[in-house]
Amino acid sequence: MAIAGAGPAGSLAARQLAAYGLDVVLVHQPRRTRQHLGESLSASAPRLLGSYGLEIPEPVYAPRPNDHFVRWGGREDRIAAQPETGGGEGQRLIRRDRLDDWALSEARAAGARVVEGAAAPDPGAGRAALVVRRQGETDRRVTARALIDASGRSGVLTREERDWPDSRTTALTAHYAPGEREGTLIETFRDGWVWSAPVVGGRRDVTVMLDAEDTAGSPGERFREAVDLVDLAGFVTGDPLTPIRAADVTPYRVRSAATSGEAPLIAVGDAASALDPLSGLGTMKAMDSGLTAAVVLRTALARPSDARLALAFHGTKERGLALEAEERVAGFYAEEERFGEREFWRRRSRRAAAPAPPGRLPGDGRVAPAPGARIEAQGVLHGDWIGRADVVVRPGRLRPAHRVAGIALADLFRTASALGSVRGTLEAVPAPEPAVRAALSWLVAEGFLIAGDAKPASAVGGT
């Protein structure tokens, strides 16, 4: 097993594959310099990692900011940071260098062999090998039963498979001395938006998002123009302490994040899809992607009859996550109506269809399958394997639905569609009524079932 790239996605994939007893080579090219950004991690990360026996050390997290300030669409919202003991959703700032070091140490501890150098495709071996290049040394060839591209935006194995949007986004970033205000800040201006957060070394990062074409010529000048258009008073002090750096942060996705052949090839993290920075989910998605890829490859190699099923699961999940993030972020951009005619905002904004009224489950009414909703057999995650199971799908929903509140949704959908009544379904499903009601309510809220006086459809799909 060979993995190109030792960021969170690649290192956690290597750790998990090695824990499964597979021989793993992780190709790691240490960064010479890195501009620390104000990166964050979802509060759901500990739950995800805990399911694999992993725990992020507390020093990986940056000090918890006291408030988050959001100035968007003509409003200013001050959002209190999640309490230290809070268990709800939220985000915490991370020290990305420490996160990378922790993930790499986990890979090593599990038995993955780490090879330093730059990974590249082996032109003479199809997709069954990598070449590792180190300055002043002979290239090293690594053959593998399967490959993972975890090389981020460089995409050494999958870059040519990417679909790009019509517009490109550049991030311009610099560090400042901090002011007396400690919270994070996001604020819009006519041609982009600004994100600011505390980073290592007692400094504060300020990052400006612009159309790439607007940064041509003098990125430094465009950065300063943007900073002058927002209110950083109290957050930063003086002039930038570091050079103004530019980075391409355009979102994209590969056409297929998992392909079979002589050696399966899986893309994870930013190599599979890069999310718009506004999503705030890039690091979380990378870790989830790497861990899932390990389960997928374990299944594909140990159970060849399930290989296509497992690879299709990874591809569907990656594409679904990317498309869901695109839709959500486009809606966020559309909320900034003051600048809707400006090119930056017009290119990125898309109003979502008006949401259906909340799917309230009647006490004892009728339910019927929504048009196009059906049951299919697809791959699903069962512990440390990908297995075949019935799921519920419908037009317009990007990912299949499998379980809610411990209830198999395909069985519940089939029962509800056949009986056509809430009470009959609650009585027919052999599970605690509160769990069945919660899952049935979810199917209504997500548009798989229609509640009311509709007559049951004559067919609900098959497996």
Side-chain angles (χ1 to χ4, degrees):
M1 192 80 55
I3 301 175
S11 290
L12 292 186
R15 183 267 187 189
Q16 200 58 28
L17 286 164
Y20 291 148
L22 296 169
D23 185 21
V24 182
V25 174
L26 178 62
V27 183
H28 170 48
Q29 185 174 25
R31 288 177 177 266
R32 288 188 291 270
T33 60
R34 184 185 189 114
Q35 178 87 341
H36 293 281
L37 305 177
E39 297 187 51
S40 59
L41 195 60
S42 167
S44 60
R47 293 196 297 274
L48 166 70
L49 296 172
S51 67
Y52 290 90
L54 292 161
E55 182 178 3
I56 297 177
E58 190 61 28
V60 167
Y61 293 106
R64 191 182 299 268
N66 55 347
D67 290 296
H68 307 297
F69 296 88
V70 180
R71 299 167 181 164
W72 198 280
R75 304 187 331 271
E76 176 168 334
D77 298 317
R78 180 175 178 174
I79 305 169
Q82 181 181 325
E84 290 287 344
T85 58
E89 289 300 317
Q91 290 190 325
R92 290 190 64 182
L93 296 174
I94 58 169
R95 304 180 190 273
R96 178 56 191 273
D97 55 339
R98 294 185 183 180
L99 180 70
D100 289 358
D101 290 345
W102 165 75
L104 185 58
S105 70
E106 287 287 338
R108 283 193 167 106
R113 290 181 292 148
V114 179
V115 176
E116 291 194 357
D122 185 343
R127 285 203 335 226
L130 286 175
V131 171
V132 182
R133 293 175 176 150
R134 296 187 65 177
Q135 189 171 5
E137 298 184 12
T138 303
D139 290 351
R140 176 176 176 177
R141 189 167 182 263
V142 179
T143 58
R145 296 172 63 196
L147 301 175
I148 294 180
D149 188 350
S151 60
R153 285 185 169 267
S154 61
V156 297
L157 302 177
T158 54
R159 185 176 181 83
E160 300 305 316
E161 299 299 315
R162 292 176 181 172
D163 288 329
W164 295 86
D166 294 334
S167 57
R168 304 294 286 261
T169 305
T170 293
L172 303 177
T173 183
H175 288 176
Y176 285 76
E180 70 278 7
R181 305 180 77 177
E182 298 178 351
T184 62
L185 171 71
I186 183 170
E187 182 172 352
T188 62
F189 63 99
R190 64 192 181 212
D191 293 318
W193 56 277
V194 171
W195 159 255
S196 181
V199 291
V200 296
R203 294 180 175 183
R204 189 174 187 92
D205 168 52
V206 175
T207 299
V208 177
M209 307 295 175
L210 296 163
D211 271 336
E213 61 190 42
D214 289 342
T215 62
S218 177
E221 183 177 325
R222 292 293 290 120
F223 177 88
R224 292 182 177 87
E225 288 175 359
V227 167
D228 287 342
L229 291 172
V230 298
D231 183 8
L232 293 175
F235 290 100
V236 300
T237 302
D239 294 324
L241 301 175
T242 61
I244 294 163
R245 300 175 184 269
D248 184 356
V249 294
T250 307
Y252 57 79
R253 59 180 182 270
V254 296
R255 285 182 281 278
S256 177
T259 55
S260 58
E262 180 183 358
L265 170 61
I266 289 184
V268 298
D270 279 359
S273 61
L275 308 183
D276 190 292
L278 189 58
S279 76
L281 296 174
T283 305
M284 175 68 180
K285 185 190 83 73
M287 295 193 300
D288 184 20
S289 180
L291 291 166
T292 301
V295 177
V296 167
L297 281 182
R298 181 195 195 196
T299 302
L301 297 176
R303 301 175 176 177
S305 61
D306 287 335
R308 288 189 178 277
L309 184 80
L311 294 171
F313 168 82
H314 182 77
T316 298
K317 180 179 179 182
E318 281 288 338
R319 182 174 178 81
L321 285 170
L323 289 171
E324 286 173 5
E326 286 176 21
E327 287 191 355
R328 184 168 58 252
V329 167
F332 291 157
Y333 280 118
E335 291 178 11
E336 183 46 274
E337 297 178 337
R338 295 174 300 168
F339 311 124
E341 297 305 313
R342 303 289 294 187
E343 283 297 300
F344 178 91
W345 298 95
R346 185 182 59 78
R347 290 170 175 171
R348 291 162 179 79
S349 300
R350 185 172 64 251
R351 291 202 172 277
R360 187 178 65 83
L361 192 66
D364 185 16
R366 301 197 66 81
V367 287
R374 64 191 186 280
I375 295 169
E376 288 186 358
Q378 294 189 17
V380 299
L381 186 64
H382 283 303
D384 291 333
W385 301 94
I386 304 298
R388 187 180 301 274
D390 284 349
V391 297
V392 190
V393 299
R394 67 168 175 79
R397 183 177 174 86
L398 303 172
R399 288 191 289 164
H402 180 219
R403 301 185 77 87
V404 166
I407 303 296
L409 293 175
D411 291 342
L412 181 61
F413 178 85
R414 188 182 287 113
T415 299
S417 300
L419 297 178
S421 78
V422 172
R423 177 48 52 191
T425 301
L426 294 175
E427 293 175 350
V429 177
E433 182 172 318
V436 180
R437 184 176 289 277
L440 196 59
S441 297
W442 188 90
L443 285 173
V444 172
E446 294 296 317
F448 292 100
L449 292 173
I450 299 172
D453 296 327
K455 294 181 180 180
S458 58
V460 300
T463 62

